[in-house]
Amino acid sequence: MKKSLLLTVIAVLGLANVNAQNVEFGAKAGLNFASIYGDNTSDIGFVTAYNFGLMSEISISEKFSFQPELLYSGIGYSIDDESDDDTVALNYLTVPLLGKYYLTERFSVEAGPQVGFLLSAKQESTDVKDAFKTLDFGTSLGLGYKLDSGLNFSARYTLGLSDISESEDFSNNTGVLQLSIGYFFF
């Protein structure tokens, strides 16, 4: 896992040096509305968590840019059964690698792959990290709006493509709607 993270960071930093005069750096934070889907998920509900981290936007042309991010992202799900409401909190370090196409000067569509590195998994106060795989690969699709001041807004959905469960009896994937506000400093 450490080698994968290191290679991802090196690749992102290498791309940032391609055209340094057209690179912006910033931070972002927001809310996640997350759950899982797949086998045995009929009693599974959404949880609300948060995300925060760093981002960069590298202009390729007037209409197209590349936006790598490094985010702490809370994901998880709630279990609705007759006895109680229980929550499983999955905390990831995610690396979205998004292509952005500007439909207008400020409004963009964004899409690209994402890799998530599982940091922790808790059910109530019990550590359940061993029940989940350490990597989660997904794909993101979203919309963005960027003001001249550097303030920006985004809404995206990330669909998990890999099975996150260590169990051989069933397969589960993540699904996250992410709403964020960011600011490009320079």
mmCIF file of all heavy atoms in Angstrom, residues 137-154:
data_model
loop_
_atom_site.group_PDB
_atom_site.id
_atom_site.type_symbol
_atom_site.label_atom_id
_atom_site.label_comp_id
_atom_site.label_asym_id
_atom_site.label_seq_id
_atom_site.Cartn_x
_atom_site.Cartn_y
_atom_site.Cartn_z
ATOM 1 N N PHE A 137 -10.766 0.974 -5.600
ATOM 2 C CA PHE A 137 -10.669 1.682 -6.878
ATOM 3 C C PHE A 137 -12.068 2.093 -7.321
ATOM 4 O O PHE A 137 -13.020 1.341 -7.170
ATOM 5 C CB PHE A 137 -10.029 0.790 -7.943
ATOM 6 C CG PHE A 137 -8.601 0.463 -7.648
ATOM 7 C CD1 PHE A 137 -8.264 -0.739 -7.047
ATOM 8 C CD2 PHE A 137 -7.599 1.369 -7.942
ATOM 9 C CE1 PHE A 137 -6.953 -1.041 -6.757
ATOM 10 C CE2 PHE A 137 -6.275 1.072 -7.655
ATOM 11 C CZ PHE A 137 -5.952 -0.131 -7.056
ATOM 12 N N GLY A 138 -12.161 3.307 -7.865
ATOM 13 C CA GLY A 138 -13.458 3.784 -8.314
ATOM 14 C C GLY A 138 -13.324 4.747 -9.476
ATOM 15 O O GLY A 138 -12.237 5.048 -9.946
ATOM 16 N N THR A 139 -14.474 5.242 -9.905
ATOM 17 C CA THR A 139 -14.513 6.243 -10.957
ATOM 18 C C THR A 139 -15.465 7.353 -10.531
ATOM 19 O O THR A 139 -16.481 7.095 -9.891
ATOM 20 C CB THR A 139 -14.936 5.620 -12.308
ATOM 21 O OG1 THR A 139 -14.830 6.602 -13.329
ATOM 22 C CG2 THR A 139 -16.333 5.054 -12.264
ATOM 23 N N SER A 140 -15.091 8.582 -10.859
ATOM 24 C CA SER A 140 -15.866 9.751 -10.435
ATOM 25 C C SER A 140 -16.394 10.514 -11.635
ATOM 26 O O SER A 140 -15.742 10.596 -12.675
ATOM 27 C CB SER A 140 -14.986 10.690 -9.608
ATOM 28 O OG SER A 140 -14.549 10.066 -8.439
ATOM 29 N N LEU A 141 -17.570 11.097 -11.445
ATOM 30 C CA LEU A 141 -18.190 11.953 -12.448
ATOM 31 C C LEU A 141 -18.849 13.096 -11.704
ATOM 32 O O LEU A 141 -19.573 12.865 -10.721
ATOM 33 C CB LEU A 141 -19.225 11.174 -13.255
ATOM 34 C CG LEU A 141 -19.982 11.941 -14.335
ATOM 35 C CD1 LEU A 141 -19.029 12.427 -15.418
ATOM 36 C CD2 LEU A 141 -21.062 11.076 -14.947
ATOM 37 N N GLY A 142 -18.604 14.332 -12.144
ATOM 38 C CA GLY A 142 -19.177 15.454 -11.411
ATOM 39 C C GLY A 142 -19.213 16.744 -12.192
ATOM 40 O O GLY A 142 -18.874 16.805 -13.374
ATOM 41 N N LEU A 143 -19.625 17.787 -11.477
ATOM 42 C CA LEU A 143 -19.736 19.140 -12.009
ATOM 43 C C LEU A 143 -18.966 20.091 -11.106
ATOM 44 O O LEU A 143 -18.879 19.874 -9.897
ATOM 45 C CB LEU A 143 -21.203 19.584 -12.047
ATOM 46 C CG LEU A 143 -22.159 18.719 -12.858
ATOM 47 C CD1 LEU A 143 -23.599 19.166 -12.622
ATOM 48 C CD2 LEU A 143 -21.815 18.795 -14.337
ATOM 49 N N GLY A 144 -18.434 21.149 -11.692
ATOM 50 C CA GLY A 144 -17.711 22.144 -10.918
ATOM 51 C C GLY A 144 -18.034 23.546 -11.381
ATOM 52 O O GLY A 144 -18.424 23.763 -12.530
ATOM 53 N N TYR A 145 -17.872 24.491 -10.458
ATOM 54 C CA TYR A 145 -18.062 25.904 -10.788
ATOM 55 C C TYR A 145 -16.967 26.682 -10.083
ATOM 56 O O TYR A 145 -16.791 26.563 -8.866
ATOM 57 C CB TYR A 145 -19.445 26.391 -10.338
ATOM 58 C CG TYR A 145 -19.792 27.752 -10.876
ATOM 59 C CD1 TYR A 145 -20.275 27.899 -12.162
ATOM 60 C CD2 TYR A 145 -19.609 28.887 -10.109
ATOM 61 C CE1 TYR A 145 -20.583 29.145 -12.677
ATOM 62 C CE2 TYR A 145 -19.913 30.143 -10.604
ATOM 63 C CZ TYR A 145 -20.397 30.266 -11.896
ATOM 64 O OH TYR A 145 -20.697 31.511 -12.396
ATOM 65 N N LYS A 146 -16.203 27.483 -10.829
ATOM 66 C CA LYS A 146 -15.036 28.180 -10.297
ATOM 67 C C LYS A 146 -15.164 29.684 -10.526
ATOM 68 O O LYS A 146 -15.369 30.126 -11.660
ATOM 69 C CB LYS A 146 -13.789 27.634 -10.990
ATOM 70 C CG LYS A 146 -12.494 28.188 -10.496
ATOM 71 C CD LYS A 146 -11.366 27.369 -11.113
ATOM 72 C CE LYS A 146 -10.217 28.206 -11.529
ATOM 73 N NZ LYS A 146 -9.190 27.427 -12.200
ATOM 74 N N LEU A 147 -15.043 30.445 -9.445
ATOM 75 C CA LEU A 147 -15.087 31.900 -9.525
ATOM 76 C C LEU A 147 -13.689 32.458 -9.781
ATOM 77 O O LEU A 147 -12.683 31.806 -9.478
ATOM 78 C CB LEU A 147 -15.649 32.474 -8.228
ATOM 79 C CG LEU A 147 -17.069 32.034 -7.844
ATOM 80 C CD1 LEU A 147 -17.430 32.550 -6.461
ATOM 81 C CD2 LEU A 147 -18.062 32.527 -8.880
ATOM 82 N N ASP A 148 -13.617 33.684 -10.283
ATOM 83 C CA ASP A 148 -12.327 34.324 -10.539
ATOM 84 C C ASP A 148 -11.526 34.504 -9.249
ATOM 85 O O ASP A 148 -10.303 34.551 -9.280
ATOM 86 C CB ASP A 148 -12.527 35.689 -11.213
ATOM 87 C CG ASP A 148 -13.004 35.542 -12.648
ATOM 88 O OD1 ASP A 148 -12.779 34.469 -13.250
ATOM 89 O OD2 ASP A 148 -13.602 36.505 -13.167
ATOM 90 N N SER A 149 -12.190 34.606 -8.112
ATOM 91 C CA SER A 149 -11.515 34.808 -6.826
ATOM 92 C C SER A 149 -10.752 33.566 -6.368
ATOM 93 O O SER A 149 -9.965 33.624 -5.431
ATOM 94 C CB SER A 149 -12.535 35.184 -5.761
ATOM 95 O OG SER A 149 -13.426 34.100 -5.534
ATOM 96 N N GLY A 150 -10.995 32.410 -6.995
ATOM 97 C CA GLY A 150 -10.371 31.151 -6.580
ATOM 98 C C GLY A 150 -11.329 30.240 -5.833
ATOM 99 O O GLY A 150 -11.058 29.056 -5.654
ATOM 100 N N LEU A 151 -12.453 30.802 -5.387
ATOM 101 C CA LEU A 151 -13.476 30.003 -4.720
ATOM 102 C C LEU A 151 -14.130 29.077 -5.741
ATOM 103 O O LEU A 151 -14.403 29.489 -6.862
ATOM 104 C CB LEU A 151 -14.520 30.927 -4.089
ATOM 105 C CG LEU A 151 -15.568 30.299 -3.179
ATOM 106 C CD1 LEU A 151 -14.914 29.682 -1.944
ATOM 107 C CD2 LEU A 151 -16.586 31.347 -2.763
ATOM 108 N N ASN A 152 -14.349 27.811 -5.366
ATOM 109 C CA ASN A 152 -14.960 26.873 -6.302
ATOM 110 C C ASN A 152 -15.867 25.902 -5.567
ATOM 111 O O ASN A 152 -15.728 25.680 -4.370
ATOM 112 C CB ASN A 152 -13.893 26.142 -7.119
ATOM 113 C CG ASN A 152 -12.954 25.372 -6.241
ATOM 114 O OD1 ASN A 152 -13.282 24.278 -5.804
ATOM 115 N ND2 ASN A 152 -11.789 25.927 -5.947
ATOM 116 N N PHE A 153 -16.799 25.343 -6.310
ATOM 117 C CA PHE A 153 -17.803 24.427 -5.786
ATOM 118 C C PHE A 153 -17.824 23.188 -6.666
ATOM 119 O O PHE A 153 -17.678 23.290 -7.884
ATOM 120 C CB PHE A 153 -19.190 25.086 -5.806
ATOM 121 C CG PHE A 153 -19.216 26.426 -5.129
ATOM 122 C CD1 PHE A 153 -18.961 27.585 -5.845
ATOM 123 C CD2 PHE A 153 -19.477 26.523 -3.770
ATOM 124 C CE1 PHE A 153 -18.973 28.824 -5.220
ATOM 125 C CE2 PHE A 153 -19.494 27.752 -3.143
ATOM 126 C CZ PHE A 153 -19.245 28.907 -3.864
ATOM 127 N N SER A 154 -18.021 22.023 -6.048
ATOM 128 C CA SER A 154 -18.114 20.811 -6.859
ATOM 129 C C SER A 154 -19.116 19.833 -6.262
ATOM 130 O O SER A 154 -19.342 19.809 -5.048
ATOM 131 C CB SER A 154 -16.740 20.141 -7.007
ATOM 132 O OG SER A 154 -16.293 19.631 -5.783
#
